[in-house]
Amino acid sequence: MSLAAATNENLANISNTLIYSSMAVYTLAFFAHIAEWVFGSRSKVGRTAAALTGSGTAGPTVKAQNAGGTAVLDRPRIVTRSAAGTRDVPDGPGAAGGTFKGDLWGRIAVSLTVVAFAVQAGGVVARAASVQRAPWGNMYEFSITFSTVAVGAYLTLLALRKNVRWIGLLLVTTVLLDLGIATTTLYTDSDQLVPALHSYWLWIHVSTAIICGAVFYLGAVGTLLYLFRDSYENKLAGGGTPGKFAASVLERLPSAKSLDTFSYRINAAVFPLWTFTIIAGAIWAGDAWGRYWGWDPKEVWSFITWVAYACYLHARATAGWKGRKAAYLALIAFGCWLFNYYGVNIFVTGKHSYAGV
């Protein structure tokens, strides 16, 4: 074995070690996030909210002194709708529930996530060095890079002081699933690319696809939680009584309006980049295969994903389709993106089959 080959093999082993190490740290972050939610459920904010809502009925009574006597007045029911079709609901206190202990565990979870992100990013860089190319030539490399970018986007939002720590538990859980599938099912030894991929467009096209997928994922999380929080607010507005677990979790999330706005802004911001990704792929196809568009399965599902997100953004701006209807479209659109990656690569044969398992 030549010195260069031995060096590349050592770098590949280092990459694998770093990826497994990041999974261990992500697991610690997962438990820290669980602790944040557990201690937050015991918060004064949570107990106060439960007392004020009175389990969907009129709240606790208020005593008032009146000329030496005591009059008992009923506290009016909290109003969750300010007008037809709208609500005046404040954001919840977050997973920590406004408690010092919960917040401490949340900060520990974020710190562990930062460490895991750095270790995972080191694994991706080591993988790139071992093959001396962009580290996304197959599904394994795409997967480990995708989850790295998703965590990086989340940490960037935190650094910008955005209220997104509620994403942490779902994000870390998803990253662990992604890395678990990547290391057990999708793993491919370091190797060189097929001739069609030897192009600077690999850096442009695939990197933007990874960024789009990672940000679309954050938008999908916000959309999914919006649906749960919206149902929770609807139940309270109708005088219903949510279950204890649902109330404990959902009362601490941002309001449905805030979650809906977050998801919309995330998807709207990245949609132009997804448009560019498809255009860049067409240009690369023209260079590699002599045609810009050939209705290859990957091309078709990339376009279907684009259409789905375009429908969502249009629906979100249309009065009759705002809210839950638009949210369902957003989840369908992200489902198209997931199928474009996993389904097309694994179950469908086409010109992009070289990026298989």
Side-chain angles (χ1 to χ4, degrees):
M1 180 184 294
S2 66
L3 178 60
T7 301
N8 292 340
E9 183 177 351
N10 288 334
L11 287 171
N13 291 333
I14 291 173
S15 172
N16 295 339
T17 300
L18 289 174
I19 294 299
Y20 281 109
S21 298
S22 70
M23 292 175 67
V25 183
Y26 278 127
T27 301
L28 295 177
F30 170 81
F31 286 114
H33 276 298
I34 290 290
E36 178 187 18
W37 281 95
V38 169
F39 287 110
S41 68
R42 304 172 182 175
S43 70
K44 181 178 179 181
V45 174
R47 294 195 301 270
T48 303
L52 289 177
T53 56
S55 299
T57 61
T61 59
V62 178
K63 292 184 178 181
Q65 297 293 332
N66 183 14
T70 301
V72 179
L73 306 176
D74 288 334
R75 182 185 298 275
R77 181 181 300 175
I78 289 180
V79 178
T80 56
R81 288 182 183 269
S82 58
T86 64
R87 297 191 188 95
D88 185 15
V89 181
D91 291 342
T99 63
F100 173 79
K101 201 166 189 178
D103 184 65
L104 176 62
W105 279 107
R107 292 178 183 274
I108 292 173
V110 172
S111 299
L112 289 170
T113 303
V114 171
V115 173
F117 166 75
V119 175
Q120 185 182 5
V124 173
V125 172
R127 177 76 176 196
S130 71
V131 292
Q132 300 178 1
R133 57 168 172 79
W136 40 74
N138 51 61
M139 290 184 68
Y140 168 74
E141 294 172 355
F142 191 101
S143 294
I144 62 175
T145 307
F146 165 78
S147 53
T148 304
V149 175
V151 176
Y154 164 71
L155 294 177
T156 299
L157 290 175
L158 284 178
L160 294 174
R161 299 186 180 279
K162 303 298 183 182
N163 177 26
V164 295
R165 205 162 82 185
W166 44 270
I167 297 178
L169 179 59
L170 282 176
L171 174 65
V172 169
T173 303
T174 304
V175 169
L176 284 171
L177 289 173
D178 174 72
L179 293 179
I181 294 173
T183 54
T184 59
T185 303
L186 304 179
Y187 182 79
T188 303
D189 290 329
S190 299
D191 200 359
Q192 292 303 310
L193 300 174
V194 297
L197 291 181
H198 284 288
S199 171
Y200 61 89
W201 283 106
L202 174 65
W203 291 91
I204 300 172
H205 172 63
V206 183
S207 64
T208 55
I210 292 173
I211 293 171
C212 289
V215 179
F216 279 148
Y217 164 77
L218 296 181
V221 171
T223 301
L224 184 64
L225 292 180
Y226 156 76
L227 290 173
F228 284 108
R229 173 76 188 202
D230 184 65
S231 296
Y232 171 76
E233 292 179 9
N234 278 335
K235 195 164 190 176
L236 287 179
T241 305
K244 289 184 178 180
F245 178 79
S248 174
V249 173
L250 296 175
E251 73 184 4
R252 286 178 278 164
L253 291 175
S255 67
K257 180 180 179 181
S258 295
L259 290 169
D260 183 43
T261 301
F262 168 80
S263 303
Y264 171 70
R265 289 177 177 175
I266 286 287
N267 290 325
V270 79
F271 180 72
L273 186 60
W274 182 248
T275 304
F276 171 78
T277 301
I278 295 176
I279 295 173
I283 296 174
W284 188 10
D287 290 343
W289 301 319
R291 90 302 185 269
Y292 294 104
W293 194 267
W295 298 104
D296 181 76
K298 179 71 70 173
E299 296 168 349
V300 170
W301 276 96
S302 295
F303 179 67
I304 290 175
T305 303
W306 184 91
V307 171
Y309 273 107
C311 290
Y312 160 72
L313 294 176
H314 177 72
R316 185 60 175 68
T318 304
W321 276 81
K322 284 184 178 180
R324 299 183 69 86
K325 291 181 180 180
Y328 293 137
L329 284 177
L331 292 180
I332 291 172
F334 184 68
C336 291
W337 188 91
L338 284 178
F339 182 79
N340 185 35
Y341 173 52
Y342 286 104
V344 172
N345 281 8
I346 296 175
F347 303 112
V348 182
T349 301
K351 283 185 172 294
H352 291 77
S353 297
Y354 49 70
V357 179

